[in-house]
Amino acid sequence: MKRNIKFRGYDKDNETMYYSNSDFHFKSRFRVCDIKNAPFELNELMQFTGLQDKNGVDIYQGDIVNGNSFLGEYLKYEVIYNEEYGCYQLRSLQEKPLAFPIKSFLKNLEVIGNICEKNKL
């Protein structure tokens, strides 16, 4: 199975998220550019996890998602990459910032935002 490698980058100055294709060309409604020659600074670079939420929305590192906990509570999580284990995980945004494997929650997840636009949640 071929995995689709995509990135997105956030330009804090213009409050704009740019998405790439597999050739690392970032695009928005107004601009298309190569990441190496970008005419702006990307403050955050986030990789596509290869997964989609329950609504078919691509899940990226840095996304904020809603999902059920093991106890049945509906909680918010941040999608993180754990370098030690080499996998994407969900880190709880509640009082106890525990991390869980993303696959165990996949059918219940819904992307509601991202860390760059957290104040809009």
Side-chain angles (χ1 to χ4, degrees):
M1 176 189 281
K2 183 179 175 187
R3 181 169 169 232
N4 194 1
I5 304 214
K6 301 186 282 187
F7 289 87
R8 69 179 181 193
Y10 187 71
D11 176 9
K12 185 169 45 174
D13 296 331
N14 295 313
E15 297 182 350
T16 304
M17 190 70 75
Y18 295 89
Y19 291 84
S20 77
N21 59 21
S22 58
D23 296 325
F24 303 99
H25 288 264
F26 280 81
K27 59 190 172 193
S28 74
R29 280 184 282 162
F30 309 107
R31 299 188 262 193
V32 175
C33 66
D34 186 294
I35 187 173
K36 297 174 189 135
N37 301 312
F40 52 86
E41 181 179 333
L42 296 174
N43 304 95
E44 293 284 338
L45 188 61
M46 297 160 269
Q47 187 172 358
F48 175 51
T49 63
L51 303 170
Q52 294 181 328
D53 74 357
K54 67 181 184 179
N55 300 317
V57 175
D58 289 348
I59 301 174
Y60 283 83
Q61 176 183 354
D63 275 342
I64 305 295
V65 297
N66 274 335
N68 290 330
S69 73
F70 291 115
L71 302 174
E73 301 171 279
Y74 210 60
L75 302 174
K76 289 183 183 178
Y77 302 92
E78 177 185 348
V79 178
I80 61 168
Y81 184 75
N82 184 322
E83 290 190 27
E84 183 179 347
Y85 296 112
C87 67
Y88 289 100
Q89 292 184 317
L90 298 175
R91 180 172 53 209
S92 172
L93 296 178
Q94 312 321 117
E95 293 177 20
K96 299 176 184 175
L98 302 172
F100 305 98
I102 194 168
K103 283 264 195 176
S104 57
F105 288 85
L106 195 55
K107 52 187 161 182
N108 296 317
L109 293 182
E110 180 178 24
V111 175
I112 59 168
N114 61 69
I115 58 169
C116 299
E117 300 165 327
K118 201 177 196 178
N119 60 341
K120 296 179 183 179
L121 295 176

